[in-house]
Amino acid sequence: MLVARRKMLLLLAGMKIRRQLFSAFAAMLGVFMAMPSAHALIEINITEGNVEPMPIALPAFAAQGTAPDMASKVSAVVEADLRRSGLLAPLDPASFIQQGMSASSMPRFGDWRTIGAQALVSGSLVAQPNGQIKAEFRLWDVFAGQQLVGQQFVTSPENWRRLAHIIADTIYERLTGERGYFDTRIVFIDESGPKDKRRKRLAIMDQDGANVRYLTDGADLVLTPRFSPVRQEVTYMSYVGGNPQVYLFNIESGQREVLGNFPGMTFAPRFSPDGQKVIMSLQQGSNANLFVMDLRSRRTTRLTNTPAIDTSPSFSPDGQRVVFESDRGGSQQLYVMNANGSNAQRISFGPGRYSTPVWSPRGDLIAFTKVHQGRFMIGVMRPDGKGERILTEGYHNEGPAWSPNGRVLVFFRDTPGASGGPQVWTVDLTGYNEQRVDTPNFASDPAWSPTLD
Amino acid sequence: MQGKMFGFEGVKRAAVVGALCVLMAACAQTRPELAGGANNIAAGTTQDFSVNVGDRIYFLNDQTSLSADAQAVLNKQAQWLKAFPSYKVTIEGHADERGTRQYNIALGARRAAATKDYLVARGVSAQRINTISYGKERPVAVCNAETCWSQNRRAVTVLTSTGS
């Protein structure tokens, strides 16, 4: 049960990862391990509304046989991840008293206490004879003078960014008690060109905006991509051949297929939590109704049948219920129904219009876009409609999606006028810590990948 | 009069124009009476349709009902399409940027459907009419004001096969 004794070897072959236990590191460095306590001595309390970020010292990893810039690049990505979380506050390296830290250094805890650090990470990046790189690092509780985590990861040098994200995840998980989300990706729509002639491409990037890759060439209008919770697949809407339909795209093979043979436009797709179904809207005449398609049998089932616009469906994490938006009552509002389409109940009753609901992977909240008096907000409410909280509000915020741990929302924020355009932002569940994700062009419709295993 | 035959409100202006025409074919040949333009554009061309008839109608915010102005334009479109039956059309429904994406896709589809239904009621064969919605994805005016948003809330009738 002791986190400090878990040693891992990570093999990152392409995008495949294999983890296995590795014991030599523990024996080699066990001398530094103080008596572990049964309880975490330091842990960020993230259940409160306003989080005071924990000061953490992140000296650059020591380079052993590797290019120093590789070690500093890894360290910089770890630091950026932890800083962007809003839950940790990396300290200015200029304040560090103890210099030359590496994974084998014994910290002088007094020196770190002096500068206000509560946690400390020491690490090394070590060149391997086979050309791979090994990252060793330790997370220390400065006040207890105790190691909390000691791990090593081996991979090929080109995976250095993922290596850094995995290290950041390990630190975040140990200090917050929540699943890390830094080793994840975001699928989105890249937007280039003038506002009245936008070129839209399906694109994917690391959650921090790095490694942007384009999945379509911009010839066809593409919208609203969603990640499969279990596979490297995306479902989205495309206007291929002037016939707007929901498609399934395999990221690894690049294969694309239309989903279903519907007698009209399909849109607003989203996977079920088990990844075996896609729920979407079908337009028939003036009305949009909800359908679900089983990806194995390819059978489609109608869920709603109303003279209204029913769209933006999202399953609850147990797959038993669906939240969606409908104007069946006169204006866009949120409804929850059973997954078979029965017993739809309106849950939004505040002033304004509610749309694009999406159920948290934790199950306890539904995020949405709310439009009221010309202002566009991102908010959350409980599945019974109670406890509404607005997290951000302004000219135009739209389309929230959850991080896989249910802690962070990603959405897009548009700016007005001819030169305006959408950009991707994240906000903590508390409504604090808004961060823009740097993208090469305008970007909209972000959706988070599951945690990569 | 023809205005009564239409059985719709708000088509009086169109009815007056239409009353000048005894036969559709005659109207086509005397383009100014049919399309209301007095220019050198050849009758029955796509330019004739877009300039002299009007290829688009506009909607109020979050609305899909056809205004009197919109019905007047559609009456002219219906006459023109009946006069030049070799054309097919695609009606593109659009929304302004002040709504969320998925809803606007459905809203644009509703506007296109309302437009199609009206043309069919005016005697244009449903077989000649396709619809597509672009939601808020294809604005024609990009300023941050109602003057632009109102131009973007539109249904555009696009001719898709050449008349002979």
Side-chain angles (χ1 to χ4, degrees), chain A residues 195-196 200 223 226 239 242 265 267 283 286 309 327 332 353 355 374 376 395-396 398 412 416-418 445, chain B residues 62 97-103 105-107 109-110 113 132-140 142-144 149:
Chain A
K195 193 166 192 168
D196 57 354
K200 292 198 170 194
L223 301 169
R226 313 294 182 205
Y239 281 65
M265 171 176 70
F267 62 107
Q283 187 76 32
S286 290
I309 293 173
D327 68 348
Q332 285 169 282
R353 295 188 285 155
S355 57
F376 281 61
Y395 170 74
H396 195 117
E398 182 178 341
F412 70 94
D445 292 2
Chain B
D62 201 21
E97 68 192 66
R98 303 305 287 155
T100 47
R101 193 176 316 287
Q102 295 93 315
Y103 179 78
I105 290 169
L107 183 62
R110 257 190 194 167
I132 188 170
S133 172
Y134 286 102
K136 60 177 173 177
E137 309 305 318
R138 293 282 182 265
V140 291
V142 295
C143 73
N144 179 37
W149 302 332

Side-chain angles (χ1 to χ4, degrees), chain A residues 1 32 50 58 135 142 260 319 335-336 340 352 367 403 433:
Chain A
M1 68 159 276
F32 290 139
N50 192 359
L58 299 166
V142 169
Y335 293 76
V336 169
N340 65 4
S403 63
N433 192 38

Side-chain angles (χ1 to χ4, degrees), chain A residues 171-220:
Chain A
I171 295 166
Y172 175 92
E173 286 172 6
R174 183 61 184 82
L175 294 178
T176 68
E178 300 204 25
R179 188 83 192 267
Y181 59 91
F182 304 120
D183 184 31
T184 57
R185 293 182 286 169
I186 290 173
V187 64
F188 67 103
I189 300 297
D190 175 278
E191 300 194 17
S192 56
K195 193 166 192 168
D196 57 354
K197 227 174 214 145
R198 275 285 154 74
R199 178 183 184 220
K200 292 198 170 194
R201 288 180 289 176
L202 184 61
I204 190 169
M205 62 184 171
D206 296 350
Q207 53 78 30
D208 61 355
N211 290 327
V212 172
R213 195 151 63 92
Y214 296 101
L215 304 178
T216 64
D217 61 8
D220 302 301

Side-chain angles (χ1 to χ4, degrees), chain A residues 337-382:
Chain A
M337 65 182 179
N338 293 329
N340 65 4
S342 66
N343 196 29
Q345 302 284 334
R346 179 173 163 179
I347 63 164
S348 61
F349 292 95
R353 295 188 285 155
Y354 292 78
S355 57
T356 76
V358 54
W359 217 303
S360 162
R362 295 175 179 173
D364 57 342
L365 291 170
I366 288 164
F368 53 82
T369 306
K370 178 177 180 176
V371 183
H372 183 49
Q373 295 179 334
R375 308 287 281 177
F376 281 61
M377 305 160 229
I378 303 295
V380 293
M381 63 173 65
R382 293 201 299 270

